Every structure is written in structure tokens, then in C-alpha cells.
Amino acid sequence: MRKLKWLPVVFTSFFLLSSCISYYNGDYPSHVYFPKEGGCKIIDGSDADELIIWEGDKNYTSQELKDSEDMEGLPGHRNFKVSSDWLTAEHSQGSNTITLYVKPNTTGKKRTAVLKAEHPDPPYNSPYKIHIKQDK
């Protein structure tokens, strides 16, 4: 029993250090909300190389992934979009904006998805995550 006296100190130190770490989301909002009627919103942020829509649970174990496709754009600027059955996201590298289009919700249930934006620049290794929610 005597050997375990240091255990609370280790756990406390770990929790204090982990609370100081912040997550950089490329200047994009971490949450975007839409009413039942749907709509369009333009969000500003950093450069991205790809968009992925992830629908399903918060642990990202669902296999429902939709990858982005390239669209016509200005020379030197990639534009791409990704769509699911209720959500479309378009990214323009020229302006570093993502335009979100959400269809009206007729399901009677809340809709949720995570839009992951892969980015080209180190030192950030994880993608930007934008949680999208729509009322029922």
C-alpha cells in the first residue's frame, strides 16, 4: 500500500497538463448549427487539401465516409466539394472558405455529422474537425 502513495500526484499532474493543451482548428468554428429548415452558411478558416464527411458516432468508428471531389477552379487554386444525403460542403482555396449547404430535416430526428478538413501544413497532424448539427 505504501508504494501507491505517489499515484494521486501522478494523476493530478497528468490532468493539469492535459487541460493546458489546446486544439488548433484552422480558425474554423468547432460547431455549426442549422435549424430544421436547413440553409447555407459560409465559414472562414485556413487552407485545406481535402474534405471528409463523417456521419455516425462520436468515436469515429462508423464507416460512413464521403471523400471530396475536385471541381473546376481558378488556375493554382483547388476547389473541391463533398456531399452526403443531407449535407454538402464546398471549399475554395482562393478564399479559404467552406460553404455548407444543409437540406431541410424531415426525419424527425436530430442530424449530426463531422466535417474533417485535412490540411497541408505541419506541425498540426490531426485534421480540423467541424461538428455540424441540425435540429429535428
Side-chain angles (χ1 to χ4, degrees):
M1 277 309 229
R2 200 164 198 227
K3 293 180 181 179
L4 298 178
K5 283 187 176 183
W6 56 270
L7 200 57
V9 173
V10 170
F11 281 123
T12 303
S13 300
F14 173 75
F15 288 124
L16 287 174
L17 288 174
S18 65
S19 66
C20 295
I21 299 171
S22 63
Y23 175 75
Y24 178 66
N25 208 37
D27 297 328
Y28 291 110
S30 57
H31 291 84
V32 179
Y33 299 95
F34 284 90
K36 177 182 178 179
E37 297 77 30
C40 172
K41 292 187 180 182
I42 299 173
I43 55 175
D44 293 318
S46 298
D47 196 13
D49 273 347
E50 180 182 18
L51 296 177
I52 301 169
I53 293 177
W54 196 309
E55 295 176 336
D57 60 12
K58 292 180 182 178
N59 295 323
Y60 309 110
T61 57
S62 165
Q63 295 301 313
E64 297 179 37
L65 295 175
K66 283 47 170 202
D67 290 323
S68 57
E69 301 173 0
D70 286 336
M71 300 182 337
E72 285 285 325
L74 298 172
H77 297 288
R78 284 183 59 214
N79 294 337
F80 42 89
K81 77 174 185 175
V82 61
S83 296
S84 69
D85 57 341
W86 63 277
L87 169 65
T88 299
E90 295 180 357
H91 180 271
S92 170
Q93 280 188 326
S95 62
N96 288 333
T97 60
I98 296 176
T99 305
L100 302 171
Y101 303 96
V102 173
K103 294 180 182 176
N105 189 352
T106 58
T107 65
K109 299 178 183 177
K110 286 186 179 182
R111 290 176 169 167
T112 61
V114 176
L115 180 67
K116 294 171 64 179
E118 299 287 342
H119 52 85
D121 299 324
Y124 309 108
N125 294 326
S126 59
Y128 309 137
K129 293 181 185 124
I130 304 160
H131 298 264
I132 301 166
K133 297 181 181 181
Q134 184 180 23
D135 291 335
K136 58 179 177 175

